[in-house]
């Protein structure tokens, strides 16, 4: 092997060592009011995410459910939908929102794997094929 080819092989080995073997695709969106931001991560080799996470910035009432004793972080504004299971609230220390996320316009829907989210002037409703999900708006939140 020539020195140049050996150098390229060595460089390729170094690049491969630092390339994540578990690459991901991130899907984000937000409502036109900019009050609800959602994110789903699709692992490499999969066709759908394991779950969808939506954070609602402002709510007009107390959280839908009381804060669990084992939650050391923020509570009341994160909702999680499992692609194959149910929906629930989540304990969180970060925010999935970004002003650069695309807007899901009122009257529009977005299919992410087996989950579907529909934006309306009343709020955002997300559900999976099992019919489980949540509805989010400033005035009310509901898990079904």
């Amino acid at each position: 092997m020539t020195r140049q080819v050996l150098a390229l092989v060595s460089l390729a080995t170094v690049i491969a060592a630092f390339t994540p073997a578990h690459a991901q695709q991130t899907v984000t969106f937000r409502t036109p009011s900019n009050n609800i931001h959602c994110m789903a991560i699709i692992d490499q080799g999969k066709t759908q995410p394991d779950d969808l996470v939506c954070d609602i910035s402002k709510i007009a009432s107390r959280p839908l459910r009381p804060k669990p004793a084992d939650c050391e972080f923020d509570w009341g504004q994160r909702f999680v939908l499992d692609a194959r299971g149910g929906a629930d609230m989540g304990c969180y220390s970060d925010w999935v929102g970004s002003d650069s996320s695309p807007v899901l316009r009122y009257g529009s829907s977005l299919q992410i794997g087996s989950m579907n989210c529909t934006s309306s002037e009343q709020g955002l409703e997300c559900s999976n094929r099992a019919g489980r999900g949540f509805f989010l708006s400033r005035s009310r939140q509901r898990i079904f």
Side-chain angles (χ1 to χ4, degrees), residues 28-34 99-106 108 119:
T28 63
F29 66 92
R30 60 190 168 108
T31 58
S33 67
N34 206 36
D99 288 337
S100 65
S101 294
V103 173
L104 182 60
R105 303 235 175 261
Y106 295 140
S108 297
S119 175

Side-chain angles (χ1 to χ4, degrees), residues 30-141:
R30 60 190 168 108
T31 58
S33 67
N34 206 36
N35 192 40
I36 304 169
H37 289 251
C38 300
M39 178 174 67
I41 298 174
I42 303 170
D43 290 331
Q44 184 178 22
K46 290 188 174 183
T47 58
Q48 70 174 13
D50 291 328
D51 56 30
L52 171 72
V53 176
C54 291
D55 289 345
I56 181 166
S57 181
K58 296 176 183 129
I59 56 174
S61 59
R62 285 190 276 161
L64 186 61
R65 295 183 177 157
K67 184 176 181 174
D70 63 346
C71 176
E72 297 178 18
F73 302 108
D74 294 323
W75 178 260
Q77 294 169 277
R78 173 160 290 177
F79 292 79
V80 182
L81 175 59
D82 185 288
R84 293 176 191 81
D88 206 349
M89 295 179 71
C91 184
Y92 62 99
S93 64
D94 58 355
W95 170 253
V96 301
S98 170
D99 288 337
S100 65
S101 294
V103 173
L104 182 60
R105 303 235 175 261
Y106 295 140
S108 297
S109 293
L110 177 65
Q111 187 80 33
I112 308 168
S114 64
M115 296 175 284
N116 185 67
C117 291
T118 301
S119 175
S120 71
E121 290 184 26
Q122 288 72 42
L124 178 73
E125 182 169 298
C126 297
S127 60
N128 60 21
R129 283 193 185 126
R132 306 292 302 273
F134 50 74
F135 172 83
L136 305 176
S137 73
R138 187 179 308 247
S139 61
R140 69 182 175 97
Q141 300 79 50

